[in-house]
Amino acid sequence: MTPSRLQNSILELKKKKSALILAHYYVDGAVQDIADFVGDSLELARKAAAADADIIVFCGVHFMAETAAILCPGKKVLSPTPGAGCSLADSIKADDLKQWKLAHPDGIIISYVNTTAETKAATDICCTSANAVKVAESVIDGKRPVLFCPDLHLGTYVNRVLGADMEIWNGSCFVHRKITSRLIRRAISEYPAAEILIHPESDCSMDEEIVNNPKCFFYSTSGIIKHVKESSGEQFIIATENGVLHKIRKECPDKRIIPISESAICTYMKKLTLENLYKTLLNETGRITVPEDIASRALVPIHRMLEL
Ligand code: 13P
Ligand code: SF4
């Protein structure tokens, strides 16, 4: 089938089954175009929590679909790519977290949503890149240590913004850790008129020169899109996964949008195709479930985050 016939067939099936298609900004543009909602991790978790459809097809990686399944226990959450992992979620296991907590028995644990359900179940409060500063601010009281996992760069960014001293796990995203100070400096010198929009998972949140450069801004994925839409600037370097370029170029066709690197691509997200989305919806395969005892414990830190 051609891409546009596949898109039409997916839209027909979606209508027939009253299904909801959610997609992250990092999946292929052709998939984003037929989703009911495209968002970042926080927006997608909120959409899933509020969904009234019986079938939710989650176009993202496994931990995202798992979060939706935890938030919607009675619904059928389907993933076209149930095996699509995440290097960040893989960087801490629930047992690692329990050991870390043993060394800080009174510690408060903040886990990025990019973690498995088991890790979330051992967590006090979750965060995403869009709300990490707000979440940390809500728990830091100067009395109890705060442990942040798994992303080293996002945690460092939050510490810097808040002047905090959270302990941070040494995990990272294989896409964003390749967005280094060297790449950012090269972009600054090649495009002196451009604004540089940097995801805080990138490996430059410790570089004072970049952090203090008035042309550099640190944002979550949705923050990057908002900045381009609202800025009077004409050129933007996008320092995150390249899937987001699709949405930005659609929303801001007159602005020049330049990726920081052609290889800033999450291969896990790109496993998602129109073909596997169509088959998933047709056959209702790829159901994501979480054992009840883990789901009920993981729901607590996710709810705490969504209530903030
Ligand atoms: P956000 O969706 O919070 O911007 O996170 C980026 C990411 O790497 C998701 O996998
Ligand atoms: Fe995980 Fe990084 Fe891919 Fe996001 S971009 S899913 S954090 S590996």
Side-chain angles (χ1 to χ4, degrees):
M1 259 196 266
T2 61
S4 62
R5 278 196 62 192
L6 260 178
Q7 283 177 316
N8 286 337
S9 305
I10 293 166
L11 291 173
E12 272 167 32
L13 266 179
K14 179 172 84 78
K15 198 168 166 201
K16 191 165 134 206
K17 300 194 177 208
S18 303
L20 178 74
I21 301 182
L22 301 178
H24 193 275
Y25 290 121
Y26 295 171
V27 299
D28 188 69
V31 173
Q32 293 186 37
D33 287 344
I34 45 107
D36 292 291
F37 182 78
V38 185
D40 69 3
S41 308
L42 181 60
E43 293 164 335
L44 290 170
R46 288 198 190 284
K47 278 284 167 195
D52 56 13
D54 291 330
I55 299 179
I56 300 173
V57 185
F58 206 109
C59 301
V61 290
H62 186 266
F63 78 80
M64 295 180 174
E66 204 178 47
T67 305
I70 293 166
L71 281 163
C72 313
K75 300 192 190 300
K76 225 182 210 184
V77 176
L78 307 179
S79 166
T81 54
C86 164
S87 67
L88 197 45
D90 287 344
S91 42
I92 190 160
K93 304 268 178 295
D95 282 345
D96 300 328
L97 184 52
K98 285 176 195 156
Q99 289 301 320
W100 201 24
K101 171 102 178 159
L102 277 180
H104 305 273
D106 58 342
I108 301 169
I109 295 172
I110 305 177
S111 292
Y112 201 19
V113 284
N114 301 39
T115 45
T116 62
E118 287 90 340
T119 300
K120 288 186 181 77
T123 290
D124 291 304
I125 184 164
C126 286
C127 75
T128 74
S129 57
N131 63 12
V133 170
K134 194 171 165 189
V135 167
E137 227 173 355
S138 78
V139 296
I140 293 172
D141 63 5
K143 295 180 193 132
R144 294 172 61 188
V146 177
L147 315 183
F148 185 98
C149 75
D151 192 63
L152 172 67
H153 306 293
L154 179 64
T156 306
Y157 166 78
V158 174
N159 267 349
R160 183 169 52 71
V161 172
L162 294 177
D165 64 348
M166 300 185 300
E167 296 231 5
I168 306 167
W169 193 258
N170 188 11
S172 61
C173 156
F174 82 105
V175 180
H176 290 94
R177 73 174 170 238
K178 287 188 272 184
I179 302 178
T180 56
S181 297
R182 194 181 56 81
L183 272 192
I184 302 288
R185 280 180 215 287
R186 197 173 69 191
I188 294 170
S189 73
E190 271 179 32
Y191 301 96
E195 290 170 19
I196 323 266
L197 310 179
I198 308 168
H199 196 285
E201 284 174 23
S202 307
D203 184 9
C204 52
S205 55
M206 287 170 245
D207 188 318
E208 288 298 317
E209 213 181 297
I210 291 173
V211 167
N212 295 323
N213 186 317
K215 289 266 181 192
C216 294
F217 303 85
F218 285 79
Y219 290 119
S220 69
T221 310
S222 55
I224 290 175
I225 298 169
K226 186 163 177 275
H227 181 105
V228 179
K229 279 165 79 176
E230 292 175 358
S231 168
S232 56
E234 288 169 4
Q235 265 187 39
F236 301 87
I237 307 288
I238 307 300
T240 188
E241 210 276 347
N242 287 344
V244 76
L245 300 171
H246 181 73
K247 179 76 172 177
I248 302 177
R249 287 180 173 143
K250 250 172 112 171
E251 300 255 349
C252 309
D254 300 331
K255 299 191 176 182
R256 185 164 179 215
I257 311 299
I258 306 151
I260 188 71
S261 156
E262 291 298 340
S263 60
I265 289 173
C266 176
T267 42
Y268 303 114
M269 289 280 190
K270 297 302 186 280
K271 285 183 178 171
L272 220 138
T273 60
L274 288 173
E275 283 83 0
N276 55 33
L277 170 54
Y278 173 72
K279 284 187 190 146
T280 298
L281 197 48
L282 181 69
N283 302 318
E284 297 184 24
T285 47
R287 183 159 186 187
I288 303 295
T289 55
V290 180
E292 167 51 34
D293 59 323
I294 295 173
S296 60
R297 283 183 288 127
L299 187 59
V300 176
I302 300 172
H303 259 161
R304 282 190 185 131
M305 167 184 85
L306 294 178
E307 275 161 12
L308 264 190

